[in-house]
Amino acid sequence: MNCLREMVTALILVTCSAVWAADDTGGLTLKVQGDAKQGYGVVILNNGKPIAMHNGGGEFSAIFANGDRSLTLRQDDWRAASWTGDERQVILRGQIQSRDFETVIDVQVQYDVLSPQIVRKKIRLYQPDAYLLYYQVSNRLVPTEPPQKLWSFDQADCQGGPLREYFPAAGFRTKDGWTVGLLTDAGFRNGWSQIIQRINRVAGPSTMVATRETPDVNLYKVATREECSAGQYYVQQTFGELLVQGEESQSGKLVALPPTESWWATGGDVAIQKPDGQMVITGQHRRMNFSGMVIPVAVEPLHTYRVSFEYRSPHALGTRFWDVKDDKSTCGDLGLFEDNLAASPDKWRKFEGQVYVPSLKGNSGALVIGPGYNQDDQPVRIELRNIVVEQRPSQLEPYHRLEMGQPQEKTVFIFADNGVKDTLREYRLASQLHFADALNFRGGPTEKIVWADTMSLCWQAEPHVARAMCAPSIFYSAAGEMYLRDSFYSMSGLHNRELNEELFNSWGDNQGNDGSIGTLIPANVGQRERKSNDSTPQWLMWALKNRQRFGTQLPMDKIRKAAEYCLNTYDKDRDGVCWAEFVMGQDDVISYPKGTKDICNNQGVWAVTLRVIKELAIPGISETISEEHIRKAEDAYRSYYDPALNRMTSVRGETNAISFDAIWPEFLSLWLFNHKILSDEMMCNQLDRMPVMLPNAAAPHPEEGGTVRPILMGMQEQSPGWKYFTEKFHPMSSDDFASSYSDHRKDGVYYNGGSWMQIEICGYVAGKLHGWKRADKAIANRLWAEINTAPDFPTSQEYLATVPGNPEFGGHRVFAWNAFVLSALELAGLRTPDMDPDYKK
């Protein structure tokens, strides 16, 4: 079966004896322009006609600084002294020299035509003279004729400026309908990241502040409307540029705020009053909305702003900083997420925060102050004074390291495609699919997109830390957070040994004194969240899988400590029954302070972990794990099957819910050991009783009645047999958490009936291996649904809401951990490992 599966000036191409004539055959080819005096550069031809060039005829621009940053060298539009090659490969060579530095930098730029639609460009720098130079490189792609428009991943008609978007891609569309795009290799190889915030422990665990050093702020920059009007069209990448904030003692520039007459209300019936010269927000908060007064603020991209105000309020309040248009519509949050500023009815209380503006899609920023989500249909009275917004001083400097004798390389890709429609969906599809093709990843559209999205989220951990990280999503990792669970799932779906071992070792370095592995590692601060969730068991599973796949030499001292922690935490009595204070899965925010032995997922994960510990051959430990011990753990997992219901119960005694969590451990056992714990009957019955949702006639198998199944759903006897959780009906959720289920606010969202592709397809694959006859159709439909349910977002999703009209649908796009699906498809025989370019036998 198929695998589920017009320029500022006319461009003059210099003709000289050293330049060969381009072939008029189809597709992309290369042509060298220039001479020995002017230097050489490359023009990209499409069907024999020039379509794009770099840096106005040069190849790149760069800035260098010496080790103490007292000397700076700027190189604009570098051209080569010599070249070799043909229409499919060109190698340009030359130097950059600096008397101040007493340094010669050797440069090589290599172009390769990878396919009729894709060209790869590599910029290589080398210097043997100085211990250290800092550098940044800018690669600008320029159309040879004025294009119809410029586009980016999040803007079908890009208004320009610096970009921080879901996926790093931008380009132009020619007047004859060709879409040209500029892509970058992954951040862990090109040395970039998308970190813009830091967790502020002083203010609270969920509070963020702007970073003092923000890397790669111009990773992508597109010509503005003003530049385009002047005939300057371009898309530019800059690698190794650091925005550094001034010291706290330095004064900034005050931003004048408009009069209150230009403020407006959002999310409720609130207004600004000015009795006795005071500013008072009054009115009525509307439930389910973030409400408050919107104060327009003139801000600029690539600047950090300090925001402060004083308030009095009998209730808690919230504040936001939005990107807004002149018509008062919002383009999204810029940051400053504060949802629970403490009530202060009598005394004036001061709030101070920071917000970094990476880019603007609207016309200005806006400070929002009000009750936020904190009051339910209650009168509002918030007194305000001394509202101040200050633009903080900053400077840009290079930060990538060019050390003596250590070459550095940046890799980018250019694609041209005349089959891309002029829609946001099509630009997004083209960006992801051509990225996967550029790196020779093979598979169906969803497989390519999942792989491309994961690679785009593999960044450099911090500006000065030479470690890779895997971000769950660009927004989950605005502060550089890497989570064990996400990195384990993401890496397990890739055959990249370098990434797997480096991230695995980072988590080993994070091991606590008791042997436990942490839940997350953020950038620029530490994190001590180590708890009895699934982090340590998954690290051991990762260890075993790395040994199985790559022959990895494991850090056995750390493996021993982790195994001892697991045995002493989850199985103190050595009876195989799992005890834990948290859910050992993705909903580990659910805690049991006194511990529990009643969670199906926990028991199954523990049974698998016991077998992992035995298989790891840890001297003095593995041999103590008997087959009888493992059998008891597996029996306890099987005991969650209710023969009367013909399905698994997710929590002991709770019969009103069904979940994929209950069969997740079965997939793990099959993936790691090809070992069945549950019977075929148990697995098939469970899957047959999972509700089928989101029917679509365009799906591969519409006859199945739907394209997805929910991760967790309430069950009832009345038709249709299932129901979303409510404020009153919420098995497996606390009363406090379930309050958010009121008024159908969360129907089909997240764990209330949301569809999560990774765990869902793993469940289908496990079912296939147990003989479930609907597996192939379920897998095909779910892969299709991932990129077709939300038409403008053909990306890897955190989850799909089964009520697409819900306003919370689609919180996190371009999501990494769905890469795990690739390994599941291999297990099912629907992919082969050699379809991944990093696979080595």
Side-chain angles (χ1 to χ4, degrees):
M1 94 185 256
N2 289 334
C3 192
L4 298 175
R5 345 205 211 240
E6 214 180 296
M7 274 213 60
V8 181
T9 58
L11 175 66
I12 301 175
L13 300 181
V14 180
T15 303
C16 60
S17 59
V19 179
W20 43 264
D23 189 354
D24 287 336
T25 57
L28 296 178
T29 54
L30 309 172
K31 184 172 183 177
V32 177
Q33 66 165 358
D35 55 31
K37 182 178 180 180
Q38 297 178 12
Y40 300 102
V42 166
V43 177
I44 298 172
L45 309 182
N46 184 40
N47 296 331
K49 296 173 59 178
I51 194 170
M53 60 197 301
H54 288 267
N55 289 63
E59 288 300 325
F60 65 86
S61 295
I63 299 175
F64 300 88
N66 65 338
D68 68 357
R69 301 187 185 276
S70 60
L71 300 173
T72 301
L73 169 64
R74 183 181 296 271
Q75 172 67 56
D76 293 324
D77 298 334
W78 179 89
R79 292 170 179 255
S82 65
W83 69 275
T84 58
D86 55 31
E87 64 180 0
R88 299 194 61 79
Q89 182 186 78
V90 171
I91 300 175
L92 305 166
R93 293 184 177 89
Q95 295 179 332
I96 299 172
Q97 301 189 25
S98 170
R99 291 184 178 180
D100 288 343
F101 284 16
E102 287 290 339
T103 302
V104 175
I105 302 167
D106 294 323
V107 180
Q108 177 178 298
V109 177
Q110 179 169 333
Y111 285 85
D112 292 281
V113 177
L114 302 181
S115 74
Q117 292 185 314
I118 301 171
V119 168
R120 181 181 63 205
K121 176 181 180 180
K122 291 187 175 185
I123 301 171
R124 183 181 183 273
L125 305 175
Y126 176 86
Q127 64 89 13
D129 303 318
Y131 282 119
L132 171 65
L133 297 179
Y134 293 105
Y135 76 99
Q136 67 183 62
V137 174
S138 295
N139 178 61
R140 176 175 289 197
L141 186 68
V142 180
T144 55
E145 295 181 358
Q148 176 187 329
K149 67 193 302 185
L150 301 173
W151 62 268
S152 67
F153 193 79
D154 289 347
Q155 301 175 69
D157 188 4
C158 185
Q159 71 175 31
L163 305 177
R164 185 181 186 272
E165 300 187 336
Y166 281 111
F167 187 93
F172 60 88
R173 187 177 187 89
T174 68
K175 292 179 178 179
D176 57 353
W178 285 86
T179 293
V180 179
L182 180 61
L183 306 173
T184 172
D185 202 353
F188 77 99
R189 288 195 283 248
N190 274 357
W192 55 265
S193 76
Q194 296 273 268
I195 299 166
I196 60 171
Q197 295 174 337
R198 171 180 63 79
I199 297 173
N200 185 3
R201 297 292 181 205
V202 175
S206 62
T207 302
M208 302 288 180
V209 295
T211 51
R212 186 175 181 274
E213 296 184 337
T214 308
D216 304 295
V217 294
N218 282 303
L219 179 63
Y220 270 76
K221 183 180 179 182
V222 175
T224 64
R225 303 286 197 210
E226 293 76 16
E227 288 176 310
C228 291
S229 295
Q232 299 175 337
Y233 302 95
Y234 64 85
V235 176
Q236 178 172 289
Q237 302 159 321
T238 299
F239 306 105
E241 183 179 44
L242 192 68
L243 179 69
V244 182
Q245 306 301 327
E247 299 293 338
E248 285 296 311
S249 58
Q250 292 180 265
S251 59
K253 183 175 69 174
L254 291 177
V255 180
L257 300 180
T260 55
E261 289 75 17
S262 64
W263 302 9
W264 68 88
T266 184
D269 300 321
V270 296
I272 189 75
Q273 309 289 333
K274 294 195 291 185
D276 303 322
Q278 294 284 353
M279 290 180 288
V280 183
I281 298 175
T282 61
Q284 190 81 17
H285 169 67
R286 282 207 303 263
R287 198 174 191 180
M288 302 193 303
N289 294 294
F290 187 94
S291 63
M293 292 304 300
V294 183
I295 308 169
V297 182
V299 297
E300 302 171 276
L302 309 188
H303 285 282
T304 295
Y305 293 84
R306 180 183 290 163
V307 178
S308 63
F309 56 84
E310 295 177 70
Y311 68 91
R312 289 195 303 207
S313 172
H315 302 286
L317 63 150
T319 184
R320 290 282 195 273
F321 209 97
W322 288 350
D323 182 350
V324 297
K325 296 181 179 180
D326 288 340
D327 64 3
K328 300 182 181 180
S329 63
T330 178
C331 301
D333 279 298
L334 288 171
L336 202 69
F337 289 90
E338 298 291 350
D339 281 337
N340 196 27
L341 297 180
S344 184
D346 302 316
K347 294 183 178 181
W348 287 99
R349 188 179 183 96
K350 184 175 182 178
F351 165 77
E352 184 173 293
Q354 288 185 336
V355 59
Y356 169 66
V357 181
S359 61
L360 282 175
K361 295 178 184 176
N363 307 101
S364 73
L367 173 63
V368 189
I369 306 173
Y373 295 113
N374 291 293
Q375 295 173 237
D376 286 339
D377 302 323
Q378 295 183 22
V380 174
R381 181 178 174 84
I382 301 171
E383 298 175 79
L384 296 172
R385 69 182 186 186
N386 298 331
I387 304 174
V388 177
V389 178
E390 177 192 48
Q391 185 187 90
R392 300 298 299 151
S394 61
Q395 65 183 40
L396 292 165
E397 59 186 39
Y399 81 92
H400 279 184
R401 300 169 67 91
L402 182 60
E403 298 186 26
M404 182 169 61
Q406 302 296 315
Q408 293 290 300
E409 190 171 85
K410 308 299 178 193
T411 303
V412 304
F413 306 97
I414 304 96
F415 72 82
D417 189 339
N418 68 343
V420 179
K421 297 177 183 178
D422 187 12
T423 66
L424 186 58
R425 172 182 174 84
E426 291 279 314
Y427 291 126
R428 285 173 165 161
L429 278 171
S431 299
Q432 298 166 104
L433 296 175
H434 283 298
F435 178 79
D437 290 342
L439 288 163
N440 199 32
F441 179 88
R442 293 181 288 129
T446 303
E447 296 162 62
K448 287 184 175 183
I449 286 169
V450 163
W451 186 85
D453 288 358
T454 301
M455 294 298 286
S456 79
L457 290 163
C458 293
W459 306 339
Q460 181 167 306
E462 288 185 16
H464 309 298
V465 176
R467 287 181 187 251
M469 67 160 292
C470 182
S473 73
I474 191 173
F475 295 111
Y476 268 140
S477 291
E481 303 97 322
M482 177 171 72
Y483 294 80
L484 185 284
R485 183 181 305 115
D486 297 72
S487 50
F488 167 62
Y489 292 160
S490 303
M491 294 303 102
S492 294
L494 309 182
H495 287 276
N496 188 302
R497 179 173 183 171
E498 173 194 0
L499 268 178
N500 267 278
E501 293 183 343
E502 185 170 353
L503 268 64
F504 171 81
N505 288 333
S506 287
W507 285 107
D509 293 343
N510 177 256
Q511 187 175 52
N513 292 332
D514 63 353
S516 63
I517 304 297
T519 301
L520 76 157
I521 307 172
N524 299 305
V525 292
Q527 172 56 253
R528 292 177 290 179
E529 184 182 313
R530 301 180 183 92
K531 61 188 186 183
S532 58
N533 58 8
D534 53 344
S535 291
T536 309
Q538 286 187 347
W539 188 72
L540 290 172
M541 296 176 197
W542 198 353
L544 180 60
K545 205 63 179 177
N546 278 355
R547 194 175 71 184
Q548 291 173 347
R549 294 203 291 169
F550 310 124
T552 301
Q553 295 296 309
L554 300 175
M556 294 309 294
D557 288 346
K558 294 177 179 179
I559 297 292
R560 171 187 293 275
K561 289 179 64 177
E564 290 173 340
Y565 169 82
C566 288
L567 289 164
N568 295 331
T569 300
Y570 306 112
D571 197 358
K572 296 175 184 178
D573 299 329
R574 300 300 193 266
D575 60 359
V577 177
C578 180
W579 176 97
E581 295 175 300
F582 299 89
V583 172
M584 296 165 66
Q586 62 190 64
D587 53 344
D588 67 342
V589 294
I590 300 176
S591 65
Y592 302 85
K594 295 181 180 180
T596 182
K597 295 183 177 182
D598 294 331
I599 300 176
C600 176
N601 173 80
N602 288 11
Q603 184 60 49
V605 167
W606 179 238
V608 174
T609 304
L610 275 173
R611 192 173 293 279
V612 167
I613 293 172
K614 184 174 181 66
E615 188 71 17
L616 282 168
I618 310 163
I621 295 181
S622 294
E623 60 265 32
T624 69
I625 309 297
S626 66
E627 288 297 329
E628 177 66 13
H629 190 178
I630 297 173
R631 184 191 62 77
K632 288 179 179 180
E634 294 183 345
D635 284 345
Y637 175 42
R638 284 187 285 266
S639 73
Y640 283 85
Y641 183 79
D642 188 327
L645 297 173
N646 285 321
R647 57 178 168 84
M648 304 288 285
T649 55
S650 298
V651 176
R652 187 80 68 191
E654 178 53 72
T655 61
N656 293 321
I658 191 169
S659 75
F660 272 98
D661 284 342
I663 55 173
W664 167 242
E666 181 70 6
F667 173 82
L668 290 175
S669 182
L670 291 164
W671 178 60
L672 288 163
F673 305 111
N674 194 28
H675 170 69
K676 294 181 180 179
I677 304 176
L678 302 179
S679 69
D680 293 350
E681 180 185 19
M682 292 175 179
M683 275 297 301
C684 294
N685 283 343
Q686 173 79 1
L687 288 167
D688 282 339
R689 281 153 184 79
M690 297 294 297
V692 186
M693 311 179 84
L694 294 184
N696 195 308
H701 300 285
E703 72 276 7
E704 287 295 294
T707 56
V708 307
R709 290 171 175 83
I711 191 170
L712 174 66
M713 181 62 80
M715 302 296 283
Q716 62 180 14
E717 293 184 4
Q718 310 95 294
S719 179
W722 54 267
K723 64 183 295 187
Y724 294 114
F725 300 142
T726 67
E727 196 170 13
K728 294 182 179 179
F729 171 69
H730 50 87
M732 304 172 59
S733 297
S734 67
D735 289 341
D736 286 344
F737 187 84
S739 64
S740 66
Y741 293 159
S742 63
D743 302 319
H744 302 284
R745 284 184 288 174
K746 299 290 186 178
D747 284 5
V749 169
Y750 209 71
Y751 252 64
N752 188 11
S755 167
W756 301 63
M757 182 173 71
Q758 180 257 119
I759 197 170
E760 192 176 337
I761 285 185
C762 288
Y764 299 154
V765 169
K768 178 181 174 72
L769 298 178
H770 277 276
W772 188 53
K773 298 184 183 303
R774 300 173 68 182
D776 284 344
K777 292 182 178 181
I779 292 167
N781 276 348
R782 189 56 186 82
L783 288 170
W784 179 90
E786 189 73 1
I787 62 173
N788 288 284
T789 300
D792 281 345
F793 280 95
T795 69
S796 175
Q797 323 280 346
E798 182 181 30
Y799 65 90
L800 292 176
T802 52
V803 180
N806 193 299
E808 292 198 31
F809 174 69
H812 294 275
R813 318 288 196 171
V814 183
F815 208 70
W817 81 9
N818 286 323
F820 196 72
V821 165
L822 302 173
S823 64
L825 296 176
E826 289 179 11
L827 183 62
L830 301 173
R831 280 185 60 81
T832 57
D834 60 355
M835 297 170 74
D836 187 311
D838 294 310
Y839 173 73
K840 295 178 177 62
K841 290 186 179 180

